[in-house]
Every structure is written in C-alpha cells, then in structure tokens.
C-alpha cells in the first residue's frame, strides 16, 4: 500500500510499540523521523512525495534551471533530485539578448517515461520533439537552444511539482521510518555494547526490555534501509 504522507513521530511510536517498547512522551520522535527521512532521501538523491515537505506541509510548484541538451543529445535528463510529477511550463531562456520561448508539450518536448503518471510516478527526462539541423550559422536548436559556445547564456526553465511521485511506495516509507528509529536509538538509551534495561524520557521511566533482542531489530532495520535505498537511488548517466 502506497502512502500519501511522510512518516511521523506517531508512526515511529507505533513501530516501537510493535517491538515491545512503549514511549510515554514521544515528542522527541518527530525530530528523529525527520532525520530518518532526510537521510533516506539523500541516499537516494530524490525527494519522494511531490507537493509535500518532509513535515507533510503543502509545497507549491517551483522552477528549476537546466542546461539545454547539446545537438547530439536526444533528451534533457533531469538528474538527481530531478523527478517532476506535474509540469506547468517549460521555457527556453537565452540571455542577454534572446527572448524567452515557451516550449509546447507533445510538440517541442515529450515527458518520459510516458507511462509513469499511470503508476503515480513522475518524469525524469524530457525528449526533444524537434531535431537539431545544421545551417551556415551553426546548429539550429530552436526552440531548445544549446547551439554551442557562441550561443550566449542559455537555460531550460521547468516549472512543476517536484518529487518521485504522488505517493510514497510502502518499502520506501518503511525505510524512512526505520531510519527514524535508528536516529532515536541514542535517546532511547539503546547502546549496542551492553546498553540499559530501561530508558527514561523527561523523567518518566518506561517498561524494561531485552536490549539484545532490540539490537537485532535495529540491525534488521539498518539492513532494510541499505537495500531499499540502493533500489531507489538515482544513478548518474
């Protein structure tokens, strides 16, 4: 089941409860889960939930700038952190003398992979809809620009909602939450070389627990995070 929100401190509290650890004051878990989300997204080089911050606040559309593709390149790859779920506009800017040119979807560019929206996922590249042609003045890249070193300062400006998809895959969501548990480990007093048999949060002592048993749970969480982040990691072309 895909998730429509990032994990929260309450979700971490539930995960810990399933492991046999009850938290009487879970407020510190909010910071731990944010750290877990940030660590996972950094490992993957992508923001997962389009239109939401990691605190689950609404995020508006944003504009990002990219170098135009060269004449021999068929597509503009958006790179790490470049997943875009909804595109409002694509504009070619040529400075200082050129005028901005708005590119038309399904004519000047084609978002790809084309089947990703049906899966709730974003695009990671734009394929050029027009091929470059050679003229006496050099490569004609209209309307994309990128004709060469004499073409001035150029950029492709893409405005949209940035993120891997409209939901977070279940395995990625769990990896983020498990990362939060790892960041909370020190505050829980779960020291691997011996540890404690109980922990205290703001003066309230919880139930005792088996440290060695929980250490094995922590280690399994770490293995899960490594495997899942490797699957979702953006690779350089």
């Amino acid at each position: 089941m895909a998730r429509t929100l990032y994990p929260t401190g309450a979700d971490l509290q539930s995960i810990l409860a399933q492991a046999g650890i009850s938290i009487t004051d879970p407020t510190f878990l909010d910071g731990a889960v944010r750290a877990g989300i940030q660590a996972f997204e950094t490992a993957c080089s992508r923001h997962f939930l389009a239109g939401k911050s990691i605190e689950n606040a609404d995020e508006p559309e944003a504009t990002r700038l990219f170098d135009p593709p060269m004449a021999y390149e068929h597509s503009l790859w958006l790179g790490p952190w470049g997943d875009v779920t909804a595109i409002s506009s694509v504009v070619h800017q040529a400075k200082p003398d050129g005028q901005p040119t708005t590119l038309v979807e399904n004519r000047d560019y084609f978002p790809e992979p084309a089947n990703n929206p049906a899966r709730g996922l974003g695009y990671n590249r734009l394929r050029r809809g027009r091929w470059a042609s050679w003229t006496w003045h050099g490569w004609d890249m209209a309307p994309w620009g990128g004709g060469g070193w004499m073409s001035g300062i150029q950029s492709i400006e893409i405005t949209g909602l940035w993120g891997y998809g409209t939901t977070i895959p279940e395995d990625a969501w769990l990896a983020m939450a498990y990362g939060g548990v790892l960041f909370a480990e020190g505050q829980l007093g779960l020291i691997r070389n011996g540890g404690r048999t109980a922990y205290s949060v703001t003066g309230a002592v919880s139930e005792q627990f088996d440290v060695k048993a929980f250490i094995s749970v922590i280690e399994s969480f770490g293995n899960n995070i490594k495997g899942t982040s490797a699957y979702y990691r953006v690779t350089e072309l």
Side-chain angles (χ1 to χ4, degrees):
M1 179 182 68
R3 303 291 185 123
T4 57
L5 294 173
Y6 281 100
T8 64
D11 294 315
L12 256 65
Q13 185 180 16
S14 176
I15 290 172
L16 290 169
Q18 293 175 20
I21 300 175
S22 59
I23 308 293
T24 55
D25 183 2
T27 53
F28 76 95
L29 294 178
D30 291 329
V33 74
R34 285 195 296 271
I37 296 168
Q38 288 176 330
F40 184 78
E41 291 198 333
T42 299
C44 297
S45 296
R46 63 184 0 141
H47 180 70
F48 272 82
L49 191 54
K52 292 289 185 182
S53 70
I54 63 172
E55 294 88 4
N56 289 316
D58 290 337
E59 283 191 336
E61 291 185 341
T63 300
R64 297 185 184 180
L65 277 62
F66 298 86
D67 295 330
M70 299 303 292
Y72 55 83
E73 294 178 310
H74 298 169
S75 299
L76 170 63
W77 185 60
L78 305 182
W81 303 96
D83 302 301
V84 59
T85 300
I87 299 176
S88 293
S89 67
V90 178
V91 177
H92 169 239
Q93 292 279 5
K95 300 177 181 179
D97 301 324
Q99 295 296 318
T101 301
T102 299
L103 277 63
V104 178
E105 185 174 352
N106 296 328
R107 187 192 74 183
D108 301 323
Y109 72 92
F110 296 87
E112 293 181 337
N115 63 336
N116 267 12
R119 303 165 56 205
L121 302 178
Y123 305 110
N124 59 28
R125 63 185 180 271
L126 302 183
R127 178 167 56 85
R128 287 210 318 259
R130 300 185 185 184
W131 298 100
S133 59
W134 178 257
T135 71
W136 288 107
H137 303 288
W139 285 106
D140 179 8
M141 295 284 291
W144 277 85
W149 66 274
M150 296 183 66
S151 303
I153 301 173
Q154 303 184 48
S155 64
I156 299 295
E157 299 183 357
I158 302 175
T159 301
L161 283 178
W162 297 88
Y164 179 70
T166 55
T167 59
I168 304 174
E170 184 73 11
D171 54 349
W173 189 94
L174 285 172
M176 295 174 190
Y178 293 164
V181 174
L182 296 185
F183 278 101
E185 180 183 2
Q187 290 175 275
L188 292 172
L190 300 175
I191 303 171
R192 295 193 180 213
N193 57 349
R196 304 172 184 173
T197 57
Y199 58 90
S200 176
V201 179
T202 63
V205 179
S206 75
E207 299 175 359
Q208 292 188 344
F209 56 90
D210 184 346
V211 173
K212 292 183 178 180
F214 193 75
I215 286 174
S216 66
V217 174
I218 288 289
E219 290 175 345
S220 69
F221 284 178
N223 292 333
N224 178 285
I225 295 168
K226 289 179 182 178
T228 307
S229 62
Y231 177 80
Y232 287 103
R233 184 175 298 124
V234 177
T235 55
E236 297 283 353
L237 292 181

